[in-house]
Amino acid sequence: MSRDPVDANFLFTLGELQRLVRAYADRQAARYGITRAQWAVLAKVERFEGMKQTELAEQMEMQPITLTRLIDRLCDSGWIERRSDDTDRRVNRLYLRKAGRVLLGKMNGLKTEITATALEGISPADAQRLLTQLETVKENVRNAIADAEDDARKEQRYG
């Protein structure tokens, strides 16, 4: 029984692509003394400055202890800071420091470089089409997960 080439290769290719891009981004980020994971945290804090550590862990789908260690390193490097919440002293909110903003400015150039390397030989129109198609794939999978969770809840309720 022969399988469709897309069926045989799609998930493997996506997984391999993700692994390679992560490895390449890690190597390139190391030029600036940062890891890809630290870079991701900095970028998220920049976008949602003042967010709680717990919210960031949830958004990044990380265990709180893993994120805490990353944040400790980022604070020690002077790139972000924790501030106590005004209404709940147990809560830490995260803010980018000036050095973090400078670093992210450099990292934006690196992001452009990595993207250009990955898309070399692909026309801008095809790259945009690819991005749109990948967004559709992402939404399809997100919807499938939500549907499966709904089905599981119904099954628990109605047995």
Side-chain angles (χ1 to χ4, degrees), residues 107-125:
M107 301 307 286
N108 282 334
L110 180 59
K111 180 174 62 173
T112 300
E113 215 179 286
I114 292 169
T115 300
T117 298
L119 295 176
E120 188 174 328
I122 298 174
S123 74

Side-chain angles (χ1 to χ4, degrees), residues 133-151:
Q133 291 168 339
L134 287 171
E135 289 292 338
T136 300
V137 169
K138 184 171 74 173
E139 193 59 29
N140 290 343
V141 173
R142 185 177 282 135
N143 289 338
I145 290 168
D147 290 347
E149 289 171 353
D150 287 346
D151 289 347

Side-chain angles (χ1 to χ4, degrees), residues 14-153:
L14 276 180
E16 184 70 4
L17 174 61
Q18 180 186 29
R19 186 189 68 74
L20 287 169
V21 168
R22 284 181 171 191
Y24 183 61
D26 266 328
R27 281 193 199 116
Q28 296 305 309
R31 297 182 341 204
Y32 297 92
I34 192 168
T35 67
R36 181 186 39 79
Q38 291 170 330
W39 182 8
V41 170
L42 280 175
K44 195 66 97 164
V45 169
E46 180 184 43
R47 270 182 266 147
F48 302 103
E49 204 152 9
M51 75 182 325
K52 298 176 188 177
Q53 271 188 228
T54 53
E55 294 168 339
L56 181 60
E58 191 175 295
Q59 280 190 16
M60 296 192 73
E61 297 179 351
M62 295 178 89
Q63 292 296 320
I65 188 67
T66 303
L67 180 63
T68 297
R69 289 182 187 129
L70 277 171
I71 291 170
D72 288 345
R73 286 187 212 112
L74 292 169
C75 287
D76 290 346
S77 298
W79 293 324
I80 65 172
E81 66 180 318
R82 291 180 177 105
R83 295 183 197 159
S84 296
D85 184 90
D86 292 337
T87 59
D88 185 348
R89 290 187 340 199
R90 297 170 296 172
V91 172
N92 284 316
R93 294 194 176 269
L94 302 171
Y95 295 87
L96 210 53
R97 299 189 72 191
K98 184 177 179 182
R101 289 187 200 291
V102 170
L103 177 62
L104 277 175
K106 294 175 186 175
M107 301 307 286
N108 282 334
L110 180 59
K111 180 174 62 173
T112 300
E113 215 179 286
I114 292 169
T115 300
T117 298
L119 295 176
E120 188 174 328
I122 298 174
S123 74
D126 285 344
Q128 184 58 55
R129 195 170 12 267
L130 173 62
L131 181 60
T132 300
Q133 291 168 339
L134 287 171
E135 289 292 338
T136 300
V137 169
K138 184 171 74 173
E139 193 59 29
N140 290 343
V141 173
R142 185 177 282 135
N143 289 338
I145 290 168
D147 290 347
E149 289 171 353
D150 287 346
D151 289 347
R153 281 192 289 277

